[in-house]
Amino acid sequence: MNEYLEANRKLWDSWVPIHVGSEFYDVEAFRRGGISLDRLELEAAGDVAGKSLLHLQCHFGKDTISFARLGASATGADFSPAAISQARRLAGETGVPARFVESEVTALPDHLDGRFDVVFTSNGVIGWLPDLRPWGRVIAHFLASGGRFAIVEGHPVMFAFDDDDDDVNRTPRPQHRYFATGEPLTFAYRGTYADFDADVDSVEHGWPHSMADVLSALLDAGLRIESFAEHPVLAWKAFRCMERDDEGFWRLPPGVGEIPLSFSLVACKP
Ligand SMILES: C[S@@+](CC[C@H](N)C(=O)[O-])C[C@H]1O[C@@H](n2cnc3c(N)ncnc32)[C@H](O)[C@@H]1O
């Protein structure tokens, strides 16, 4: 693993206990039951009952366990040892038979056998990966013939915008690279996306990927894109001016203009 991925992995390890105790993830309620997946994720994944499902970059397992609660035979994978051990604990506490594998996403074929009916990933995943081409090949590798890949993710255009100054009313504007160069962007800030007030100094290394990079990575790996949609909503509060809607998604308020905030894509392995 390169030095940036290693630093990111340590960052995620440090975030896991914060996230497990956060209102954002509300683990206490999840232990009692329910599904953490939102409407866009459920639509993209389709009916998973009775299917084998691989969840890439599963964090500490809430969504993986949700798929298992929906009847899938679910496997989650993540490169953070703290996330995987917490995921296994949560599966045990909830009595849900989900399986978890610790691996960097592009190394997963060395750590996991089998083919899956569904490969799923969502919300805060591609920006952690230096290059999407090997990611696309890993997805194709794990999909059974006729299998379905589903992703719901922050839109690459949204990731190029920021509002990182002290003016809460400031409209987000383009501030970061949209097109990939292979070089990471490094951000240092207090807290995490799930707990802005957490007592942690976070330094993350992320890689921009254009929308074309996402599509090309999947097409070049031999997948066929079945559906693609862009949305004016996001699963997390990326900009301070955002407002929450009735479904729990975050939106830009009226009057600040419109950009795509997230996208959903479904592809299949012929
Ligand atoms: C924002 S979470 C996405 C999961 C899900 N949306 C959630 O909120 O629970 C991103 C996850 O990607 C994992 N991750 C980041 N880079 C990775 C890599 N190169 N290989 C495998 N996992 C990685 C992190 O450990 C983290 O758990």
Side-chain angles (χ1 to χ4, degrees), residues 2-15:
N2 77 36
E3 63 188 291
Y4 298 113
L5 288 180
E6 194 52 58
N8 282 344
R9 179 157 73 163
K10 290 197 177 109
L11 178 68
W12 278 103
D13 279 345
S14 73
W15 281 359

Side-chain angles (χ1 to χ4, degrees), residues 1 4 32 34 36 48 71 75 77-78 105 138 152 161 177 255 262 270:
M1 242 193 297
Y4 298 113
R32 294 193 293 271
S36 58
V48 300
T75 301
D78 200 284
V105 67
V138 165
V152 179
F161 278 63
R177 285 201 317 261
S262 60

Side-chain angles (χ1 to χ4, degrees), residues 43-267:
E43 283 172 6
D47 181 3
V48 300
K51 298 195 173 142
S52 58
L53 181 145
L54 173 61
H55 179 198
L56 300 177
Q57 295 178 250
C58 66
H59 201 22
F60 64 88
K62 267 184 80 179
D63 292 350
T64 320
I65 292 169
S66 296
F67 280 123
R69 280 178 171 163
L70 290 170
S73 167
T75 301
D78 200 284
F79 76 166
S80 156
I84 290 300
S85 98
Q86 180 57 44
R88 288 178 180 144
R89 189 172 315 139
L90 191 56
E93 286 167 355
T94 53
V96 175
R99 173 172 65 144
F100 292 96
V101 180
E102 181 191 315
S103 173
E104 202 283 318
V105 67
T106 58
L108 195 53
D110 297 332
H111 300 273
L112 178 66
D113 290 328
R115 299 292 182 271
F116 295 81
D117 300 319
V118 181
V119 175
F120 177 87
T121 195
S122 76
N123 289 328
V125 287
I126 56 175
W128 299 99
L129 308 179
D131 183 355
L132 293 186
R133 285 166 293 195
W135 169 80
R137 290 194 289 272
V138 165
I139 292 163
H141 168 87
F142 281 111
L143 274 177
S145 193
R148 176 185 185 103
F149 171 62
I151 177 170
V152 179
E153 173 60 304
H155 198 288
V157 168
M158 183 280 296
F159 284 123
F161 278 63
D162 216 335
D163 61 355
D164 64 349
D165 58 30
D166 296 328
D167 180 358
V168 272
N169 298 316
R170 179 164 197 122
T171 303
R173 60 190 168 86
Q175 288 193 46
H176 308 301
R177 285 201 317 261
Y178 173 76
F179 295 104
T181 63
E183 290 303 309
L185 298 170
T186 296
F187 300 98
Y189 51 90
R190 288 283 295 164
T192 88
Y193 65 89
D195 183 351
F196 300 131
D197 300 323
D199 185 20
V200 62
D201 287 313
S202 298
V203 178
E204 72 174 65
H205 308 286
W207 288 265
H209 304 290
S210 69
M211 201 62 245
D213 290 340
V214 179
L215 301 172
S216 302
L218 300 171
L219 292 170
D220 291 351
L223 301 187
R224 195 171 66 214
I225 292 169
E226 305 261 294
S227 69
F228 171 68
E230 298 169 302
H231 311 291
V233 298
L234 188 63
W236 71 95
K237 188 175 184 184
F239 309 119
R240 275 166 291 182
C241 66
M242 288 175 114
E243 295 170 353
R244 203 148 203 198
D245 71 13
D246 294 342
E247 265 188 298
F249 288 119
W250 294 90
R251 294 174 175 267
L252 291 171
V256 304
E258 216 176 40
I259 57 169
L261 295 175
S262 60
F263 73 89
S264 321
L265 182 151
V266 175

Side-chain angles (χ1 to χ4, degrees), residues 17-27 194-195:
I18 296 167
H19 288 185
V20 171
S22 68
E23 267 180 52
F24 182 94
Y25 282 105
D26 199 359
V27 171
D195 183 351

